[in-house]
Amino acid sequence: MFRWFVVISIFLSIFISSYRFFTTPFEAYFSYAIFALFFPIFFVKYGVPRAPVLLFIPLFIAGVTYTAIGLNTAGQFYKIFIGFFSSVLFYHYVLELFQFNLKQLFKYYMIAAYIISLIGLMQLVSFWVGFKPGYDFHWVFNKWNVVRGGIGIRVNSVFSEPAYFAASIGPAFFVAIYNWAVKDPLFVTRRQSALIIAAYCVTFSSVGIIGIFLAILLLLINFGFFRYAIVFVPLSILLFNYSYENVDEFRDRYDGTTEIFSTGNYQSYQINGSSFVLYNNYHVALENFKRNPILGTGLGSHPTAFDKYSLTNLEGAVDIDFNKMDANSMALRLMSETGLYGMCLMFFLLVRCWVPKQRTHDTELWVMSNATMIIIVLYLVRQGHYFLNGFPFFLWMYYYIAKENWKYRDEKREQEEKERLAAFAIAINQKSRAQIQ
């Protein structure tokens, strides 16, 4: 019973970000209560793990330094540093609690993703039949909205926005697609996979569309690009054309983003607002990076950089300053706040720790690795919050999946070497006997 209480609490901390206890002096999410509940137990049981501390020492030094010289504010730095470090520490403890049984944890994630997808589909059906408590969850969550569009509403389930749903369920979507491409499904059944796919598609989110393309691309790479391109490439083209023609948000963002990045026209009010927000934060992050390339200007400093370099300060610019706090993209926020240190760490993690099908004989490991890569890439592209929806959990999972695969490969090589030596010894022994005879 206690084990299930722990499991449920952990995944509530990942998926329930649409409830806040208060908003000042900082936003206190539901997950913070779970952290506070379990941290004393984890501290006593495991102490302080070395890896998270070593990773954050340069970030702490940089933050304190840049706060002292006015490139950051103490309030912003300590708020983000404490929140990010606590989240990274908590989810490392979670893996320790489960003795790094990554497959079991991922199975729990898939079950949770299925339940949340089911809630999302029930939300859509409730809207169609006019049952308001079934589609409008304001009676449960205080940071939540009904998002009109799509085929009535754009599904966001327990999340405040469809984009958060699409990012957090991205790994489950990859596994669900995989389960329909092979005979033996993993972690959930084919029927459950179909429901996850259906819920994912009716978010009508640009983040979700990117997630679909990423899933198709990774499956192509793992199964053999040329072998399956004849199926998946036309499918991708059809998907893009359908999304462009039928999903207004995707079309507006695609057109707006390509236009503003190609022309640099920040004065046009015809450009999609989200596209301008992304371009403006790109401009701010780049200008800040040019001046502080090594360690950025410290965690939480992007708002200060925004006030200095935002295009909205210029005469005639579009007056939109959304996503000032999180840069609208993890990649841009890392560039601005952590410089080369954070960017190189993330690049190393993504590239060095990726487990493709060709580098392992464990199907579950490569599927988990590629699934987890999707949420990391989606956050880098369109989500700028360091620890919302349990993002550090997926970072740790991605790293330790690779570590388990390295261990597996080393053991396999060691076994193969022993077998070669044994075969060599037998051959020598047989040769010696033949010479004696």
Short mmCIF file of all heavy atoms in Angstrom, two decimals, residues 120-152:
data_model
loop_
_atom_site.label_atom_id
_atom_site.label_comp_id
_atom_site.label_asym_id
_atom_site.label_seq_id
_atom_site.Cartn_x
_atom_site.Cartn_y
_atom_site.Cartn_z
N GLY A 120 -8.37 12.91 -21.10
CA GLY A 120 -8.44 13.87 -22.21
C GLY A 120 -9.53 13.52 -23.21
O GLY A 120 -10.28 14.39 -23.67
N LEU A 121 -9.66 12.24 -23.55
CA LEU A 121 -10.70 11.82 -24.49
C LEU A 121 -12.09 11.98 -23.87
O LEU A 121 -13.05 12.37 -24.55
CB LEU A 121 -10.46 10.38 -24.91
CG LEU A 121 -9.20 10.14 -25.77
CD1 LEU A 121 -8.99 8.66 -26.02
CD2 LEU A 121 -9.31 10.89 -27.09
N MET A 122 -12.19 11.68 -22.56
CA MET A 122 -13.47 11.89 -21.87
C MET A 122 -13.82 13.38 -21.85
O MET A 122 -15.00 13.75 -21.94
CB MET A 122 -13.38 11.34 -20.44
CG MET A 122 -13.30 9.82 -20.37
SD MET A 122 -12.91 9.23 -18.70
CE MET A 122 -14.29 9.90 -17.77
N GLN A 123 -12.81 14.22 -21.74
CA GLN A 123 -13.01 15.67 -21.78
C GLN A 123 -13.63 16.08 -23.11
O GLN A 123 -14.59 16.87 -23.15
CB GLN A 123 -11.66 16.37 -21.58
CG GLN A 123 -11.71 17.88 -21.68
CD GLN A 123 -10.32 18.49 -21.76
OE1 GLN A 123 -9.32 17.78 -21.99
NE2 GLN A 123 -10.24 19.79 -21.59
N LEU A 124 -13.11 15.54 -24.20
CA LEU A 124 -13.62 15.87 -25.53
C LEU A 124 -15.06 15.39 -25.70
O LEU A 124 -15.92 16.13 -26.19
CB LEU A 124 -12.73 15.24 -26.60
CG LEU A 124 -13.06 15.57 -28.05
CD1 LEU A 124 -12.97 17.07 -28.31
CD2 LEU A 124 -12.13 14.81 -28.99
N VAL A 125 -15.35 14.16 -25.29
CA VAL A 125 -16.70 13.61 -25.40
C VAL A 125 -17.67 14.43 -24.54
O VAL A 125 -18.80 14.72 -24.96
CB VAL A 125 -16.72 12.13 -24.99
CG1 VAL A 125 -18.15 11.60 -24.93
CG2 VAL A 125 -15.90 11.29 -25.97
N SER A 126 -17.23 14.81 -23.34
CA SER A 126 -18.07 15.62 -22.45
C SER A 126 -18.43 16.95 -23.10
O SER A 126 -19.56 17.45 -22.95
CB SER A 126 -17.36 15.86 -21.12
OG SER A 126 -17.17 14.66 -20.41
N PHE A 127 -17.48 17.54 -23.83
CA PHE A 127 -17.77 18.79 -24.53
C PHE A 127 -18.82 18.57 -25.61
O PHE A 127 -19.74 19.38 -25.77
CB PHE A 127 -16.49 19.35 -25.15
CG PHE A 127 -16.70 20.62 -25.92
CD1 PHE A 127 -16.78 21.84 -25.27
CD2 PHE A 127 -16.84 20.58 -27.30
CE1 PHE A 127 -17.00 23.01 -25.99
CE2 PHE A 127 -17.06 21.75 -28.02
CZ PHE A 127 -17.14 22.97 -27.36
N TRP A 128 -18.68 17.48 -26.34
CA TRP A 128 -19.64 17.20 -27.42
C TRP A 128 -21.05 17.03 -26.88
O TRP A 128 -22.02 17.45 -27.53
CB TRP A 128 -19.23 15.94 -28.18
CG TRP A 128 -18.04 16.13 -29.06
CD1 TRP A 128 -17.51 17.30 -29.51
CD2 TRP A 128 -17.21 15.10 -29.60
NE1 TRP A 128 -16.41 17.07 -30.30
CE2 TRP A 128 -16.20 15.72 -30.38
CE3 TRP A 128 -17.22 13.71 -29.52
CZ2 TRP A 128 -15.23 15.00 -31.06
CZ3 TRP A 128 -16.25 12.98 -30.21
CH2 TRP A 128 -15.27 13.62 -30.97
N VAL A 129 -21.19 16.40 -25.72
CA VAL A 129 -22.53 16.14 -25.17
C VAL A 129 -23.01 17.26 -24.25
O VAL A 129 -24.14 17.22 -23.75
CB VAL A 129 -22.59 14.79 -24.43
CG1 VAL A 129 -22.22 13.65 -25.36
CG2 VAL A 129 -21.69 14.79 -23.19
N GLY A 130 -22.15 18.27 -24.02
CA GLY A 130 -22.54 19.42 -23.22
C GLY A 130 -22.47 19.23 -21.72
O GLY A 130 -23.12 19.96 -20.97
N PHE A 131 -21.64 18.29 -21.26
CA PHE A 131 -21.49 18.05 -19.82
C PHE A 131 -20.30 18.87 -19.32
O PHE A 131 -19.15 18.42 -19.38
CB PHE A 131 -21.28 16.56 -19.57
CG PHE A 131 -21.10 16.20 -18.11
CD1 PHE A 131 -22.06 16.52 -17.17
CD2 PHE A 131 -19.94 15.54 -17.69
CE1 PHE A 131 -21.89 16.20 -15.83
CE2 PHE A 131 -19.76 15.21 -16.36
CZ PHE A 131 -20.74 15.55 -15.43
N LYS A 132 -20.56 20.07 -18.83
CA LYS A 132 -19.49 21.03 -18.51
C LYS A 132 -18.50 20.53 -17.46
O LYS A 132 -17.28 20.69 -17.64
CB LYS A 132 -20.08 22.36 -18.07
CG LYS A 132 -19.02 23.45 -17.91
CD LYS A 132 -19.63 24.82 -17.65
CE LYS A 132 -18.53 25.88 -17.55
NZ LYS A 132 -19.09 27.23 -17.31
N PRO A 133 -18.93 19.93 -16.34
CA PRO A 133 -17.93 19.45 -15.36
C PRO A 133 -16.98 18.40 -15.94
O PRO A 133 -15.90 18.19 -15.39
CB PRO A 133 -18.80 18.85 -14.25
CG PRO A 133 -20.12 19.53 -14.37
CD PRO A 133 -20.32 19.75 -15.83
N GLY A 134 -17.37 17.77 -17.03
CA GLY A 134 -16.52 16.75 -17.64
C GLY A 134 -15.47 17.29 -18.58
O GLY A 134 -14.54 16.57 -18.95
N TYR A 135 -15.64 18.55 -19.02
CA TYR A 135 -14.62 19.12 -19.91
C TYR A 135 -13.98 20.40 -19.37
O TYR A 135 -12.91 20.80 -19.80
CB TYR A 135 -15.19 19.38 -21.30
CG TYR A 135 -16.16 20.53 -21.42
CD1 TYR A 135 -15.71 21.84 -21.60
CD2 TYR A 135 -17.54 20.31 -21.38
CE1 TYR A 135 -16.60 22.89 -21.72
CE2 TYR A 135 -18.44 21.36 -21.50
CZ TYR A 135 -17.96 22.66 -21.67
OH TYR A 135 -18.84 23.70 -21.79
N ASP A 136 -14.63 21.04 -18.42
CA ASP A 136 -14.09 22.25 -17.81
C ASP A 136 -13.67 21.92 -16.38
O ASP A 136 -14.51 21.74 -15.50
CB ASP A 136 -15.14 23.35 -17.81
CG ASP A 136 -14.58 24.69 -17.32
OD1 ASP A 136 -13.52 24.70 -16.65
OD2 ASP A 136 -15.21 25.73 -17.61
N PHE A 137 -12.36 21.83 -16.16
CA PHE A 137 -11.84 21.35 -14.88
C PHE A 137 -11.48 22.47 -13.92
O PHE A 137 -10.66 22.29 -13.02
CB PHE A 137 -10.61 20.45 -15.11
CG PHE A 137 -10.91 19.21 -15.90
CD1 PHE A 137 -9.93 18.63 -16.69
CD2 PHE A 137 -12.16 18.61 -15.84
CE1 PHE A 137 -10.21 17.48 -17.42
CE2 PHE A 137 -12.45 17.46 -16.56
CZ PHE A 137 -11.47 16.89 -17.35
N HIS A 138 -12.09 23.63 -14.09
CA HIS A 138 -11.84 24.72 -13.15
C HIS A 138 -12.28 24.35 -11.74
O HIS A 138 -11.79 24.93 -10.76
CB HIS A 138 -12.57 25.99 -13.60
CG HIS A 138 -11.82 26.77 -14.64
ND1 HIS A 138 -12.23 26.86 -15.94
CD2 HIS A 138 -10.67 27.49 -14.55
CE1 HIS A 138 -11.38 27.61 -16.63
NE2 HIS A 138 -10.42 28.01 -15.82
N TRP A 139 -13.20 23.44 -11.63
CA TRP A 139 -13.67 23.03 -10.30
C TRP A 139 -12.63 22.18 -9.56
O TRP A 139 -12.76 21.93 -8.38
CB TRP A 139 -15.00 22.27 -10.42
CG TRP A 139 -14.94 21.04 -11.27
CD1 TRP A 139 -15.02 20.97 -12.63
CD2 TRP A 139 -14.79 19.69 -10.82
NE1 TRP A 139 -14.93 19.67 -13.08
CE2 TRP A 139 -14.80 18.86 -11.97
CE3 TRP A 139 -14.65 19.09 -9.57
CZ2 TRP A 139 -14.66 17.47 -11.90
CZ3 TRP A 139 -14.53 17.71 -9.52
CH2 TRP A 139 -14.53 16.92 -10.66
N VAL A 140 -11.58 21.76 -10.29
CA VAL A 140 -10.48 20.99 -9.69
C VAL A 140 -9.19 21.79 -9.66
O VAL A 140 -8.50 21.84 -8.63
CB VAL A 140 -10.23 19.68 -10.47
CG1 VAL A 140 -9.11 18.87 -9.81
CG2 VAL A 140 -11.50 18.85 -10.57
N PHE A 141 -8.87 22.46 -10.76
CA PHE A 141 -7.58 23.13 -10.92
C PHE A 141 -7.78 24.65 -11.03
O PHE A 141 -8.72 25.11 -11.68
CB PHE A 141 -6.85 22.62 -12.17
CG PHE A 141 -6.70 21.13 -12.21
CD1 PHE A 141 -7.34 20.37 -13.18
CD2 PHE A 141 -5.92 20.47 -11.27
CE1 PHE A 141 -7.20 19.00 -13.23
CE2 PHE A 141 -5.78 19.08 -11.30
CZ PHE A 141 -6.43 18.34 -12.27
N ASN A 142 -6.87 25.40 -10.42
CA ASN A 142 -6.98 26.86 -10.47
C ASN A 142 -6.02 27.51 -11.46
O ASN A 142 -5.99 28.74 -11.58
CB ASN A 142 -6.78 27.47 -9.07
CG ASN A 142 -5.43 27.09 -8.46
OD1 ASN A 142 -4.53 26.62 -9.14
ND2 ASN A 142 -5.32 27.29 -7.15
N LYS A 143 -5.23 26.71 -12.18
CA LYS A 143 -4.41 27.23 -13.28
C LYS A 143 -4.70 26.35 -14.50
O LYS A 143 -3.90 25.51 -14.91
CB LYS A 143 -2.92 27.20 -12.93
CG LYS A 143 -2.05 27.91 -13.96
CD LYS A 143 -0.57 27.79 -13.66
CE LYS A 143 0.24 28.51 -14.73
NZ LYS A 143 1.70 28.37 -14.50
N TRP A 144 -5.85 26.57 -15.07
CA TRP A 144 -6.35 25.68 -16.10
C TRP A 144 -7.35 26.44 -16.96
O TRP A 144 -8.06 27.31 -16.48
CB TRP A 144 -7.02 24.47 -15.44
CG TRP A 144 -7.31 23.32 -16.36
CD1 TRP A 144 -6.53 22.23 -16.60
CD2 TRP A 144 -8.47 23.17 -17.18
NE1 TRP A 144 -7.13 21.40 -17.51
CE2 TRP A 144 -8.33 21.96 -17.90
CE3 TRP A 144 -9.61 23.93 -17.40
CZ2 TRP A 144 -9.27 21.49 -18.80
CZ3 TRP A 144 -10.56 23.49 -18.30
CH2 TRP A 144 -10.39 22.27 -18.98
N ASN A 145 -7.40 26.12 -18.25
CA ASN A 145 -8.33 26.80 -19.15
C ASN A 145 -8.90 25.83 -20.18
O ASN A 145 -8.22 24.89 -20.59
CB ASN A 145 -7.62 27.94 -19.90
CG ASN A 145 -7.28 29.10 -18.99
OD1 ASN A 145 -8.16 29.77 -18.47
ND2 ASN A 145 -5.99 29.33 -18.77
N VAL A 146 -10.13 26.10 -20.57
CA VAL A 146 -10.70 25.41 -21.73
C VAL A 146 -10.13 26.11 -22.97
O VAL A 146 -10.20 27.33 -23.09
CB VAL A 146 -12.24 25.51 -21.74
CG1 VAL A 146 -12.80 24.88 -23.03
CG2 VAL A 146 -12.82 24.81 -20.52
N VAL A 147 -9.56 25.32 -23.87
CA VAL A 147 -8.94 25.88 -25.08
C VAL A 147 -9.80 25.50 -26.27
O VAL A 147 -9.86 24.33 -26.67
CB VAL A 147 -7.50 25.38 -25.27
CG1 VAL A 147 -6.85 26.07 -26.46
CG2 VAL A 147 -6.68 25.62 -24.00
N ARG A 148 -10.49 26.48 -26.85
CA ARG A 148 -11.36 26.22 -28.00
C ARG A 148 -10.52 25.96 -29.25
O ARG A 148 -9.42 26.46 -29.40
CB ARG A 148 -12.27 27.42 -28.24
CG ARG A 148 -13.09 27.83 -27.03
CD ARG A 148 -14.28 26.93 -26.82
NE ARG A 148 -15.00 27.25 -25.58
CZ ARG A 148 -16.19 26.78 -25.27
NH1 ARG A 148 -16.80 25.94 -26.10
NH2 ARG A 148 -16.77 27.11 -24.13
N GLY A 149 -11.11 25.20 -30.17
CA GLY A 149 -10.43 24.90 -31.43
C GLY A 149 -10.53 23.43 -31.76
O GLY A 149 -11.24 22.66 -31.10
N GLY A 150 -9.79 23.03 -32.80
CA GLY A 150 -9.79 21.63 -33.17
C GLY A 150 -11.18 21.16 -33.58
O GLY A 150 -11.83 21.75 -34.45
N ILE A 151 -11.66 20.11 -32.92
CA ILE A 151 -13.00 19.60 -33.20
C ILE A 151 -13.93 19.93 -32.04
O ILE A 151 -14.69 19.09 -31.56
CB ILE A 151 -12.96 18.09 -33.50
CG1 ILE A 151 -12.12 17.34 -32.45
CG2 ILE A 151 -12.43 17.82 -34.88
CD1 ILE A 151 -12.05 15.83 -32.68
N GLY A 152 -13.85 21.14 -31.59
CA GLY A 152 -14.67 21.64 -30.48
C GLY A 152 -13.78 22.29 -29.45
O GLY A 152 -13.82 23.51 -29.22
#
